[in-house]
Amino acid sequence: MIEDGWLISTNPATGEEAGRVPVADEKAVLAAVERAREAALWWQGLGFAGRRTRILRWRSLIVQRIEELAELTHRESGKPVTDGLIEATAAVEHLDWAARNAKRVLGPRRVRTRLLVAEHSGHLEYQPYGVVGVIGPWNYPIVTPVGPISGALAAGNAIVFKPSEYTPVVGQWLADSFAEVVPEHPVLQVVHGLGDVGGALCRSGVAKISFTGSTATAKKVMAACAENLVPVVLEAGGKDALIVDADADVEAAAEAAVWGAMTNAGQTCIGIERVYAVEPVYDRFVDAVVAKAGKLRTGEEIGPITMPKQLDIIRDHIEDALAKGGRAVLGGAEAVQAPYVSPTVLVDVPEDSSEIREETFGPTLTITKVRDADEAVTKANDTPYGLGGAVFGKKNAIRIARRLRSGMVAVNGTLTFVGMGNLPFGGVGESGFGRIHGDDGLREFARAKAITVRRGPSLLPAMTFERTPAQVKQIVKALRLLYGRKP
Ligand code: NAD
């Protein structure tokens, strides 16, 4: 809710105010980016070591205040405090990893000499963009922004962050706590508001945008950035599948499916929304899932649906699945009781229903019986999305994981990859492109800079008008010698 220039953030479960922040207009966004430009120069000048110390100090401050942060996240988004704690844990991992590895991944290095230009040495380094804009969603208000922020900061950029209008107070907390350890310059700033403020950030002259949110908005962000050729990394929606193979530990698979589907009330980009279980284990798996999901208490482990309009989408998906012949073995359409949705498990849901094809973003799970792993892979991949996924099995599990069209897969686990700072995170297709986290995530926030340095006269001078016909002949001869033979 916006009132007199203030964005008032409320708890979706109780309606209580969680805090208020000033709304930025276009001028304020431009001013923030201007301030960030100067801050970026100072931050870059600190070098990898100076930035590492400061990012690690911020990491430690977050750890010291982790309960406060989790409590605030609970008050603002409604998610259980324990979910907030776990989310903050992942954010701490990314800060720690990015700070410690930026120099190794991005720092200056020599590359090997190439024979045809042996008189030049080659050098590579990755230089920061300057000011990076980060636009975040509400569902994981700590870790989704901290993922790109950790990489962008470690690479040497200043940041202007536009948190979701549903979780601005957590966003402000992140910037305020950072400013406590880096008080000298506004290296991490926040601007608040609705989508128009995100749009203004895309057009503000930032050198790169890191966006996390829905696929529909990702397309708008890319279009806005295209106006000035601003590069983007897009972390968008998903419809992740879990495959249960014949030799899987069925109990463990059920435990993971329930966690993957129901944690954060299913409002997880890499949440498990579909399961494909092979015929021999299908019945046992369904029973185990229903038993485990049936024990979850709505209002306790299952928090509220943060965005009220999502309740209608969840209800529509469940009703569509049931109308097309699906069966609810737990929950159902009546599970939607604003602001909560109780755990819902659906079977026999046709592949053309919205519950299978579109992002539901609620604590619902479809379980589909398949002949074998091949059919499971085909069905799992039959979606425009491709974010994460999971496979339970033994002999063929990794082979199956490789065949899933997605950026990440957990074998005999779910969502695990988001907690490993050294693994890249990002999607394919409608789930977006580019990567955060890991070596690739650090490189996402820096430009490769290639430098050659002459170290002697050219024996085979190719790149000059002063080469002689005889030298050109020699170059061709050398080429034949080096590369002319059939491999
Ligand atoms: P959203 O797309 O509605 O909003 C995301 C952010 O974009 C918000 O800050 C919003 O204010 C801003 N925004 C809206 N319109 C804009 C515009 N025209 N230009 C620039 N910015 C604009 O998404 P949401 O509802 O906040 O988040 C849920 C979605 O995010 C789900 O689809 C989920 O799958 C996805 N998500 C993806 C990841 C990932 O890493 N791939 C992680 C978390 C969430």
Side-chain angles (χ1 to χ4, degrees), residues 145 175 216 296 393 395 446:
L296 298 175
K395 209 167 107 238

Side-chain angles (χ1 to χ4, degrees), residues 267-337:
Q267 303 164 106
T268 305
C269 54
I270 46 170
I272 300 298
E273 299 215 346
R274 304 170 291 152
V275 173
Y276 294 99
V278 298
E279 204 268 325
V281 295
Y282 174 83
D283 289 336
R284 264 195 302 142
F285 177 78
V286 172
D287 290 347
V289 165
V290 171
K292 288 179 197 298
K295 284 195 202 128
L296 298 175
R297 291 159 303 172
T298 305
E300 301 282 334
E301 292 93 347
I302 305 293
I305 298 303
T306 305
M307 253 190 338
K309 65 175 191 265
Q310 197 68 27
L311 288 161
D312 295 332
I313 296 174
I314 299 168
R315 190 186 298 103
D316 281 356
H317 284 195
I318 298 173
E319 282 174 354
D320 179 57
L322 298 176
K324 287 193 166 119
R327 283 186 300 122
V329 287
L330 183 71
E334 66 284 3
V336 183
Q337 303 283 343

